[in-house]
Amino acid sequence: MDPMEEIRQTFFTECEELLEALEAGLLSIHDGTHDEETVNVVFRAVHSIKGGAGAFELDALVRFAHGFETTLDEVRSGRLEPGEDVVATLLRSADVLSDLFAAYRDGAVPAEDTAQSLLVELSTLSGAPAPAPAAAPPADDGGFAPVPLALDLEAPAFEPVPLDLGGGDDADAADEAASPLRHYAIRFRPKKDLYRRGGEPTLLLRALDALGELDVAVTGIDAADPAALDPEEPCAEWLIGLKTAADRADIEEVFEFVSDDSDLSIEALLGLEEPQAPQAPQAQEAPASAAPAPEREAVPPPAEAQAEQAAPEPEAASASPAPSQSEGQSKPVVAPKATVRVDLDRVDRLINLVGELVINQAMLTQCVEDSGPMNREVATGLEEFHQLTREIQESVMAIRTQPVKPLLQRMSRIVRESASATGKSVRLRTEGEATEIDKTVLERLADPLTHMIRNAVDHGLESPEKRLEAGKSEEGTVRLTAAHRSGRVVIEVADDGAGINRERVRQIAVDKGLIAADAQLTENEIDNLLFMPGFSTAKEVSNLSGRGVGMDVVKKAIQALGGRIAITSSPGRGTTFSISLPLTLAVLDGMLVRIDDHTVVLPLTAIIETFKLQGGELHRLGQGGHVLSVRGEFVPLVDIGSELGFRDRVEDYEEAVILLIQTEEGVRAAFVADGIDDQQQVVIKGLEDNYGTIEGVAAATILGDGRIALILDADNLVERAALPPGETSAAA
Amino acid sequence: MELDERQKSDGGKEIVSFRLGEEEFGVEIMSVREIRGWSKATPLPHSPPYVRGVINLRGAVLPVIDLNQRFGEAPSDPSSRHVVIVVQVENAQFGLLVDAVSDILHVTQEDLQDTPDVATGETRAFIRHLVALDDRMIRLIALESIFTPMTAEAA
């Protein structure tokens, strides 16, 4: 990849994270659960996006971020109270920012109309003049002063930077009380990789210029012997004096993308407090051991200060002029967790390999067991090996899992948009944001969840008038929760609306010919009509959840992920859709079941209990069918051996092993098998790529002895068994 | 490398020839991934009879086709002397259960003859070309007609 493009991609990835942080912060401000740091985080996020966007000349993004930032600064400084309306505007601004970003990322032309009108709103809030496009720092090329070159051939190591501190008197400081100025000396020496990767110091300098007053000198261009110069090796070094209200983090951000490819030092200057600036280079040999603080009252001469002032306590020094300023620096910064970006393919390869390792470990154990009595050391070694493989497997799987937080956050935007489109007032409550789920599942969950949220706002919640009539608060609530429940992740979308109008649902189903007019349906069955293809309850196709895409599509998408969706509703109280998903698509806990000489795996989650069949529990029902009485409840008997075509239907089930199964829909069935071999975690191997899909079979796995066993799809088997027995009745 | 050059020079190709009963067949070497001994396959429910089941190919689940049965003959009775030729067609891999692999042959474009009309429709669909080598006749198989993964539901 083109190096510039690579950096651009990095920026985009980081932008996504920043946008997430931004939204999370704003939401917590909205909910009133924020602290001062939250506002700072939000501010920094927008600022970083602006900075990065500037570097890539994404003008619309910069312009908007700038206006956004200005308003946020008002909030940060306490001049603007983040009330309901303000936060709503800020949230919408975050949406627009994310739209603009997405447009640039996808190479589209960003639509600026909404951005422009929001900018006006933002500027009204901040009280600043409506930001003209030209206000964007990187855009004002003309305003950037040419770099004064100061060649010094004698002192290549270091050079005093002429730093204009003329304005550093008390009057000036008072003017700037809101955001006091600080002075920094920045030494920046690019390495050759910086240029090789398309870095451009001019852009960085412009970004710095946007932060405050700049004084730049270049050194290191040693013209003594041009012939000796390595054209590949950069020799220029910039010495930059910066007078700015921004803090160190802002400066570091400017250099964020190039910090690996350059020598960089940023020193906060003691200038204002330093009474006698040592006149020259000696300063570097004598780090100021005397604390400069006592001389606070001394007013420095408006002279040149030392750039390379040894500054072991920059914080202490800069803290003095105004209290509000110290906050940014002295506050203990919570170090972000170190992370590594890894190509997903690599992780998947690792996961596959670990899968092999697990199988290999099981095979090895079996080989050793088969070869006779085991010596104790070997047995211990094998046991440790087993533990280790399992741990490795779990750790590797954990790499793929991610918290659902970003997904839930994205939904808050959907709620906002749906609410404003339908004229309803909706609050989204999210719970369980830390719940982790496989990345693939997470990604493929976004669309169905979006649809469900829209549905909840559009169809689930009543109009504000109707809510007031029903004695509810005008504002509807949509709850989005995620939780781990018995080895699966359960995500629920619940609204506090009117509940499903079952009469209407039934009528629509009859009108559309989905059910017979005289069909007797239970409440649950009526609710489930919503999942039938071609069902849509909206009277007119609204531009939200309409468009003929129904809940059936949602259901299909969830099923494709190995998940199930269920619906519960109570009139007047609301409707809850609940999705249950496997934690990962790669392994499952299964029970190894024997049928004749076949071994199959049943997912443990489907099995309620297992027992041996005793006489008297079995009752004939219909042609070749049986039901089993389990504590007074009759459940159909499913002979999975014959269902899978492994053998003919058995007549005598005496002594057979029964596995009591419950499907996601709550339907129970008793599976008949010859025995249970083991219970273990198995690696899921898809059959689709090389073979195709098989009824009743979800996937395959590899057993300890290297053989392949099929993983059964219990729900599908129960469904099939409920159909009139196809093969047998056809033969008869 | 050597293979490429020879293919370029005369438009010919390398084929792996194998035996099925008394008859000789061949597949293009570029489709062959590996050749391994027979091991017991796990039968698949609702599969066509010629699909012997699936075997474990270093962690991948590989369907094995009984080629004899696929051609409408009696099913093979595989022993450890039988051989599975692992082939790749587009993105899918599967195994061909055959009696034995004979050798690798180089055939030129001129050696390839169209399948004459005497063969029944189905056999013709499986056999792409005939190759005459000395007094042997090698039937070059059209792999994509042997097996393709079913995306639709099997039952």
Side-chain angles (χ1 to χ4, degrees):
Chain A
M1 212 198 300
D2 165 23
M4 198 58 191
E5 189 52 33
E6 208 169 299
I7 301 172
R8 205 179 150 97
Q9 288 309 325
T10 314
F11 163 64
F12 284 143
T13 323
E14 277 175 1
C15 233
E16 281 172 28
E17 286 168 13
L18 290 167
L19 284 167
E20 275 169 25
L22 168 64
E23 181 149 14
L26 286 176
L27 284 172
S28 87
I29 295 174
H30 183 237
D31 297 340
T33 56
H34 64 294
D35 54 24
E36 274 174 49
E37 183 56 22
T38 316
V39 182
N40 285 330
V41 166
V42 167
F43 181 82
R44 276 201 294 275
V46 176
H47 184 80
S48 308
I49 292 171
K50 183 178 96 173
F56 293 101
E57 291 170 352
L58 313 177
D59 295 338
L61 195 54
V62 174
R63 271 199 295 283
F64 187 78
H66 183 71
F68 196 177
E69 187 187 8
T70 311
T71 309
L72 282 171
D73 194 34
E74 294 292 303
V75 177
R76 185 167 72 151
S77 63
R79 282 192 297 268
L80 181 65
E81 190 56 36
E84 188 87 0
D85 292 348
V86 173
V87 176
T89 309
L90 294 179
L91 276 167
R92 270 188 297 134
S93 304
D95 293 347
V96 169
L97 195 65
S98 136
D99 282 346
L100 289 173
F101 155 74
Y104 278 119
R105 183 195 51 198
D106 305 339
V109 180
E112 284 197 71
D113 330 355
T114 22
Q116 204 53 51
S117 65
L118 255 177
L119 271 182
V120 175
E121 275 187 58
L122 284 169
S123 66
T124 321
L125 287 177
S126 65
D140 62 351
D141 285 7
F144 184 69
V147 177
L149 279 186
L151 290 182
D152 187 335
L153 308 184
E154 267 77 56
F158 142 123
E159 183 184 18
V161 174
L163 194 63
D164 178 19
L165 294 178
D169 56 9
D170 284 337
D172 195 38
D175 282 349
E176 303 277 350
S179 46
L181 294 181
R182 263 167 283 168
H183 297 81
Y184 293 95
I186 302 162
R187 195 176 135 271
F188 173 57
R189 184 189 173 87
K191 298 181 195 160
K192 72 176 164 189
D193 275 355
L194 180 128
Y195 295 100
R196 186 178 285 161
R197 292 187 188 151
E200 171 54 77
T202 316
L203 292 175
L204 300 167
L205 291 171
R206 276 185 203 164
L208 281 181
D209 190 38
L211 292 177
E213 267 176 56
L214 207 57
D215 227 324
V216 185
V218 173
T219 178
I221 305 176
D222 200 321
D225 182 8
L229 276 177
D230 179 354
E232 290 277 314
E233 195 62 56
C235 54
E237 176 176 325
W238 278 264
L239 298 166
I240 306 156
L242 176 65
K243 189 163 86 176
T244 178
D247 57 23
R248 174 183 292 261
D250 293 324
I251 300 174
E252 278 168 355
E253 253 164 41
V254 169
F255 291 100
E256 192 168 4
F257 295 123
V258 297
S259 56
D260 287 347
D261 297 331
S262 60
D263 293 324
L264 177 69
S265 75
I266 303 171
E267 307 281 355
L269 286 190
L270 307 177
L272 283 173
E273 286 78 34
E274 195 56 48
Q276 328 102 346
Q279 270 312 300
Q282 302 97 286
Q284 48 184 317
E285 273 93 43
S289 51
E295 277 85 21
R296 189 159 297 177
E297 70 283 356
V299 176
E304 292 183 358
Q306 273 314 118
E308 203 66 26
Q309 200 54 257
E313 319 84 343
E315 255 83 331
S318 60
S320 51
S324 71
Q325 174 204 354
S326 60
E327 188 186 293
Q329 291 234 342
S330 60
K331 185 153 191 156
V333 179
V334 182
K337 268 192 213 162
T339 54
V340 183
R341 274 181 229 287
V342 183
D343 202 341
L344 197 55
D345 286 348
R346 290 196 196 178
V347 177
D348 285 347
R349 200 176 129 68
L350 185 61
I351 286 175
N352 281 339
L353 283 173
V354 173
E356 300 303 301
L357 182 68
V358 171
I359 292 161
N360 195 273
Q361 176 265 329
M363 285 169 75
L364 180 64
T365 309
Q366 184 129 10
C367 279
V368 176
E369 276 167 6
D370 292 349
S371 65
M374 222 188 285
N375 127 355
R376 205 161 53 89
E377 278 90 42
V378 174
T380 322
L382 276 177
E383 185 51 36
E384 271 167 18
F385 183 31
H386 173 76
Q387 296 283 359
L388 275 175
T389 11
R390 181 122 193 168
E391 260 174 53
I392 291 174
Q393 190 183 20
E394 278 168 9
S395 318
V396 170
M397 302 310 288
I399 296 177
R400 272 202 65 111
T401 62
Q402 294 192 325
V404 295
K405 188 174 178 188
L407 180 69
L408 300 196
Q409 259 176 29
R410 238 191 292 173
M411 293 305 133
S412 70
R413 171 174 188 179
I414 308 293
V415 168
R416 279 199 297 283
E417 286 176 351
S418 318
S420 75
T422 53
K424 293 172 184 174
S425 157
V426 187
R427 173 168 289 256
L428 177 75
R429 294 200 178 281
T430 55
E431 275 171 43
E433 291 174 328
T435 312
E436 294 204 328
I437 192 168
D438 188 277
K439 188 174 161 62
T440 311
V441 180
L442 200 63
E443 277 162 3
R444 285 158 68 186
L445 209 52
D447 282 346
L449 210 54
T450 303
H451 198 80
M452 288 165 70
I453 294 276
R454 284 187 180 154
N455 236 346
V457 174
D458 199 13
H459 303 314
L461 296 174
E462 318 91 320
S463 61
E465 302 84 50
K466 279 195 180 157
R467 286 186 68 87
L468 289 173
E469 258 174 56
K472 298 181 186 176
S473 71
E474 198 177 336
E475 188 182 56
T477 304
V478 174
R479 284 183 57 233
L480 181 57
T481 54
H484 281 268
R485 212 172 288 165
S486 60
R488 288 173 83 86
V489 174
V490 178
I491 295 178
E492 286 186 349
V493 179
D495 63 64
D496 66 344
I500 292 173
N501 184 341
R502 300 207 167 93
E503 216 135 282
R504 216 162 69 86
V505 166
R506 188 175 188 288
Q507 192 53 48
I508 290 169
V510 171
D511 291 349
K512 298 206 167 172
L514 299 173
I515 54 167
D518 57 352
Q520 294 292 318
L521 298 178
T522 63
E523 287 189 347
N524 192 26
E525 280 168 332
I526 295 176
D527 293 349
N528 277 297
L529 288 175
L530 294 182
F531 294 122
M532 285 185 83
F535 188 96
S536 180
T537 55
K539 276 185 193 134
E540 65 267 26
V541 174
S542 70
N543 58 357
L544 256 188
S545 43
R547 297 268 176 267
V549 180
M551 287 301 289
D552 58 315
V553 177
V554 171
K555 186 175 183 174
K556 279 217 186 76
I558 300 296
Q559 281 177 337
L561 290 172
R564 319 281 177 198
I565 185 165
I567 181 171
T568 51
S569 176
S570 71
R573 310 253 321 258
T575 309
T576 302
F577 286 93
S578 145
I579 306 173
S580 123
L581 292 159
L583 275 185
T584 155
L585 301 176
V587 289
L588 66 82
D589 277 300
M591 194 171 270
L592 270 52
V593 175
R594 189 161 31 83
I595 303 163
D596 282 350
D597 56 349
H598 302 282
T599 304
V600 294
V601 180
L602 266 168
L604 219 51
T605 46
I607 302 172
I608 301 177
E609 61 175 293
T610 60
F611 51 87
K612 254 210 158 84
L613 191 62
Q614 314 287 324
E617 292 165 333
L618 206 57
H619 307 275
R620 276 185 176 280
L621 187 73
Q623 191 188 26
H626 286 89
V627 290
L628 185 72
S629 154
V630 182
R631 289 186 288 275
E633 185 194 0
F634 290 109
V635 295
L637 196 74
V638 181
D639 185 343
I640 41 177
S642 71
E643 202 62 54
L644 294 171
F646 288 165
R647 63 182 182 195
D648 291 334
R649 202 170 275 264
V650 180
E651 277 311 310
D652 180 20
Y653 289 114
E654 208 57 39
E655 291 295 293
V657 169
I658 299 292
L659 300 117
L660 193 61
I661 300 291
Q662 180 159 6
T663 67
E664 287 295 328
E665 279 86 34
V667 181
R668 289 186 174 200
F671 283 12
V672 187
D674 293 341
I676 294 171
D677 283 348
D678 199 359
Q679 183 180 314
Q680 69 180 59
Q681 197 169 47
V682 297
V683 180
I684 300 173
K685 296 278 178 184
L687 286 164
E688 281 81 7
D689 287 351
N690 286 337
Y691 183 76
T693 49
I694 306 173
E695 285 276 295
V697 177
T701 190
I702 296 168
L703 299 178
D705 58 4
R707 276 185 310 145
I708 290 178
L710 301 175
I711 301 172
L712 303 186
D713 182 343
D715 284 35
N716 183 277
L717 283 169
V718 172
E719 253 170 57
R720 280 172 59 87
L723 298 173
E727 290 158 31
T728 37
S729 67
Chain B
M1 191 62 181
E2 188 194 343
L3 198 88
D4 286 349
E5 277 161 20
R6 283 168 68 182
Q7 288 200 340
K8 242 179 252 160
S9 59
D10 58 6
K13 49 179 108 186
E14 304 276 325
I15 59 170
V16 175
S17 75
F18 58 88
R19 251 180 347 93
L20 218 53
E22 297 304 310
E23 298 180 12
E24 255 194 299
F25 294 84
V27 287
E28 272 185 48
I29 203 164
M30 297 308 286
S31 309
V32 177
R33 288 287 156 267
E34 66 176 279
I35 295 166
R36 65 201 305 276
W38 163 257
S39 58
K40 194 173 178 301
T42 303
L44 294 176
H46 318 295
S47 64
Y50 55 80
V51 176
R52 292 302 291 224
V54 282
I55 58 168
N56 168 16
L57 180 75
R58 284 188 310 280
V61 178
L62 188 82
V64 177
I65 312 295
D66 184 337
L67 208 50
N68 221 20
Q69 204 170 358
R70 184 70 180 115
F71 291 152
E73 309 286 328
S76 321
D77 181 16
S79 67
S80 57
R81 304 232 304 278
H82 280 72
V83 170
V84 174
I85 303 176
V86 180
V87 294
Q88 176 139 15
V89 178
E90 286 173 13
N91 290 324
Q93 290 193 353
F94 56 88
L96 298 173
L97 173 62
V98 304
D99 290 351
V101 169
S102 324
D103 44 354
I104 294 173
L105 304 167
H106 179 74
V107 295
T108 61
Q109 200 62 43
E110 291 92 70
D111 295 332
L112 302 175
Q113 301 176 22
D114 289 338
T115 317
D117 286 340
V118 287
T120 60
E122 194 162 62
T123 313
R124 283 195 63 189
F126 297 141
I127 309 298
R128 178 169 290 144
H129 291 293
L130 295 180
V131 180
L133 268 182
D134 306 330
D135 55 347
R136 295 152 70 187
M137 180 178 82
I138 293 163
R139 301 148 185 86
L140 205 55
I141 291 178
L143 283 173
E144 63 284 352
S145 64
I146 300 288
F147 183 73
T148 42
M150 297 155 253
T151 38
E153 287 179 349

